Structure formats: C-alpha cells, structure tokens
Amino acid sequence: MKPHGMLAGVSGALGGLVFLPILALALMIGPTATATIVQLSGCEQGGPGGGSIVVDRQQLGADEMDIARTIVDVVQQRRLPRRAAVLAIATGMVESGLRNLDYGDRDSLGVFQQRPSQGWGTREQILNPVYATGKFLDALVALPGWDTMAPGQAEQAVQHSGFPDRYAPREPAAAAIVDRFWTGPDNPTPPPGGGTEAVQAKTLCPDQGGSDVPRDPSQVDPKKLPPGFTLPTDVRQRAAVGFALGQLGKPYAWGAKGPDAYDCSGLMLASWAAAGIGIPAGTISQVHAGHSVSSLEQVQPGDLLFIPGSLGTAQVPRHVGMYAGHGLIVDAYDTDTGVILEPLSTWTSKIVAIRRIADPSPPSPPPGGSPLR
C-alpha cells in the first residue's frame, strides 16, 4: 500500500476517534462570539476613549481608543447601523492597530491604510480619521447586502486586502469596543434627505483638555487676525498654520477632529493632516510627536505648545495649541469659547513642552542649478 493509502486507511479506522478533537481545535482557533476587554488604565491617561485596554490579546492605547470613539461618532452622525461601526473598527484594528499612520505599503496611509493613488482622497484628507472613516463608510454602504455578509466579507470587499482572512477574527473585539461608545438604537432611522445628525458617541472620560490661561481679548481679537499678519513661507508650516487659522470661531467639542468642531488635540491633528503629515490623535501622544524644541527663542510657526490646562500637570499636560507666528497662538480653548487666537505672552509661564512636527523644507535649487561662483 502506498503511504497515502496507509494514512487513508488509518484515518478511516480512527475516524470516530479523531473527528471530535479536530472539531474542538477548529472551534478554539476560529473567531469567538464575544471578546473580553481588560482595562489597563483609566482617565488618568486622558482622552475621550477612556484609557488603554487589552481586547482579544491586542493592546490598544488611549490614543487608539480615541480613534475608535471617533469612528463610532462618525457612524452615529450618519445614522448608520451599529454593524457599520463594528466593520469599520475591525478594519482599523487589522490595517493600522487603530493608529493614524502616515506610512504604509506603497502609498497607504491612515487608520484604514487608504491609498491616494486608488481614489480614496488626497494624502491630506486621508490623514484625518474623520474623513478616512467617511470614505470607508461610503464604500461599505455601496455594497449590496453589506450588513448581512459573513464575517470578514464586507471588510475585504472594501479593502481588497492580500490577507482577506484577517478581518473576521477581529469582529468580536470590534463589537466589544463599539459597545463602549454606542448610544441609541442599533438600527437608527436615517435623517430625512440623508446627511448627518448631531448624535454623539459616548465619551468615557470627562473633558480634560480645556485651557486655564486667563483670557484678555483687549490684547488680541480672538476671532480675527491682526493687520499685517502673514503666513509662514515654508510650505508645510504654511499649510498647517493656515488650516488652523481657518477654523477660528468654530466650536469646541471634546473628542472632535472636525470639520465642524474640534478639541485642542483634534485641531492639531487636522491642521497637520492638511499639511500631509499624520500625528497621533490625543494630547498625551502628541507631546511625544516630532522632536523637542528646547526654548521659546527657537519656536517656529506650526510648533505645538503644551500646558497643563485645567486638569493636567507639568508631567502630563492636557492642553495644546499651535504657534501661528507673530506672537500668536491658535487653539481650541474650551467648550464655552471654541477656536481662538491668544497672545503667546499669556502662555509663556505655563508652557511645559514644545514639539516641532516638521522642520522647514530646504529651499529648492534655482532653475538650471546653482549659479557659478
């Protein structure tokens, strides 16, 4: 008997003995129906997502949970079913670990590793998790029967991944995360005529991002640039500062990353995304982004300035603003004030960290090369 025939005979003789263990093993390695969240930290880490967790053996920090809450927020504002949030978070867990990455395979970017070359949007758009989530949902709901597909199939139909089997095992963990933030019915009624509604996901920690710098509107008009103000000449600094200044007067909302409202770190994320640079979602991670600037004498437009804020400390600052140049800071101040301008001089004694997200680009050589010397 040939070897494969011998194995077949043994398998047939022992069929009743080996079937159940194999079935049990298959059940153990397949996707589970539920996932348990183990809380690693709480609100001492800051962020509306409620601190870091372990779910289904994957650790997610406070920053990643902030992005998870943002995804749920976008789904709820669009009045889509809870299932859409589960699929979006499962995809983000697989593609980026729910991080706002500014790199990836080829030109892949952001939470969902979307590619500008494939029509998902510009680099600047994709690096804002609000936009990226919206584009994922657009592609998802365009699939007939997306909400009744087998686990993993809808995500793969959107993402066209080379590893299609990775999504389904993440769905139970994603569902457990969605449970933390979801409000209202699982299948809400869409608003008349489409569009969005002001329905917010839960925030699991109180707002810790408000400023405590005393305001003096007589020094600087909080909503208007002074005469003679000019944007920085560097392209990336100009894009980031220009975007931030374009949000003056918009409201503050804890956990918001635009386009209609911002919190302090959300404004920084969206502003640097407009310059094509991805940064983390929350203040607690942004204080480590880029590189340190040692003194205010070296500050440049676009630098992030950190202060303890109303509930933070020098070691764990909770409020951030952007230096706009000309002695001005732009920041999302608090829920009563919104996005405003403030004089740098009022912040000086409170600043505990300065981070430069991107150094100025070297000047381009003149056409035809450098002149002869």
Side-chain angles (χ1 to χ4, degrees):
M1 184 180 290
K2 294 181 180 179
H4 69 270
M6 292 174 60
L7 291 174
V10 171
S11 175
L14 300 179
L17 295 177
V18 300
F19 176 74
L20 289 177
I22 291 175
L23 177 60
L25 179 62
L27 289 174
M28 285 190 290
I29 64 175
T32 56
T34 60
T36 301
I37 289 179
V38 177
Q39 192 77 39
L40 296 184
S41 70
C43 294
E44 72 276 4
Q45 277 198 1
S52 59
I53 65 168
V54 171
V55 56
D56 194 22
R57 298 183 298 279
Q58 183 172 358
Q59 182 170 341
L60 299 172
D63 216 41
E64 290 75 54
M65 292 302 290
D66 185 352
I67 287 180
R69 185 204 164 274
T70 296
I71 291 171
V72 175
D73 207 25
V74 174
V75 172
Q76 292 218 257
Q77 288 175 18
R78 291 179 60 157
R79 305 293 285 170
L80 292 173
R82 180 193 288 246
R83 179 73 178 149
V86 173
L87 298 177
I89 287 181
T91 301
M93 293 175 75
V94 169
E95 298 292 348
S96 67
L98 291 173
R99 292 173 292 162
N100 190 36
L101 301 178
D102 65 356
Y103 60 88
D105 179 48
R106 289 170 282 188
D107 59 338
S108 300
L109 296 164
V111 177
F112 301 99
Q113 290 290 279
Q114 294 158 335
R115 299 180 59 193
S117 64
Q118 301 302 306
W120 287 98
T122 65
R123 177 183 179 89
E124 295 78 11
Q125 290 171 324
I126 292 169
L127 286 171
N128 189 322
V130 175
Y131 173 90
T133 301
K135 290 299 287 186
F136 176 87
L137 295 173
D138 288 344
L140 177 69
V141 300
L143 299 172
W146 65 268
D147 53 337
T148 57
M149 290 181 179
Q153 287 188 0
E155 299 98 307
Q156 174 62 13
V158 171
Q159 297 293 110
H160 304 289
S161 171
F163 304 95
D165 297 332
R166 293 183 177 180
Y167 300 113
R170 282 286 177 257
E171 287 194 19
I177 291 171
V178 172
D179 286 346
R180 294 164 67 85
F181 302 118
W182 191 265
T183 58
D186 287 355
N187 296 288
T189 303
T196 62
E197 270 191 7
V199 179
Q200 280 201 320
K202 292 177 186 173
T203 53
L204 299 185
C205 290
D207 186 351
Q208 298 175 320
S211 178
D212 63 344
V213 175
R215 292 182 55 221
D216 184 359
S218 66
Q219 292 191 52
V220 172
D221 187 329
K223 304 292 177 64
K224 185 178 179 182
L225 290 170
F229 181 92
T230 56
L231 289 170
T233 56
D234 178 74
V235 173
R236 294 184 296 183
Q237 291 177 347
R238 185 183 186 92
V241 171
F243 181 92
L245 294 174
Q247 314 315 305
L248 288 174
K250 288 191 176 179
Y252 177 111
W254 179 224
K257 299 169 180 62
D260 300 321
Y262 300 88
D263 68 3
C264 65
S265 61
L267 179 62
M268 301 302 103
L269 180 151
S271 298
W272 273 106
I277 297 177
I279 65 173
T283 305
I284 199 167
S285 296
Q286 289 179 3
V287 77
H288 302 292
H291 65 83
S292 177
V293 175
S294 60
S295 71
L296 272 176
E297 287 71 29
Q298 298 175 321
V299 73
Q300 294 183 9
D303 288 353
L304 306 189
L305 309 178
F306 295 85
I307 62 175
S310 56
L311 293 173
T313 65
Q315 292 72 36
V316 186
R318 300 293 198 191
H319 192 75
V320 59
M322 177 181 288
Y323 183 59
H326 299 269
L328 296 173
I329 289 173
V330 56
D331 70 306
Y333 186 91
D334 64 14
T335 52
D336 296 324
T337 309
V339 180
I340 61 169
L341 286 172
E342 297 184 80
L344 174 62
S345 58
T346 62
W347 278 48
T348 300
S349 65
K350 294 179 177 286
I351 294 171
V352 297
I354 306 172
R355 304 297 295 189
R356 180 156 303 150
I357 302 304
D359 287 304
S361 303
S364 300
S370 300
L372 295 174
R373 296 184 180 274

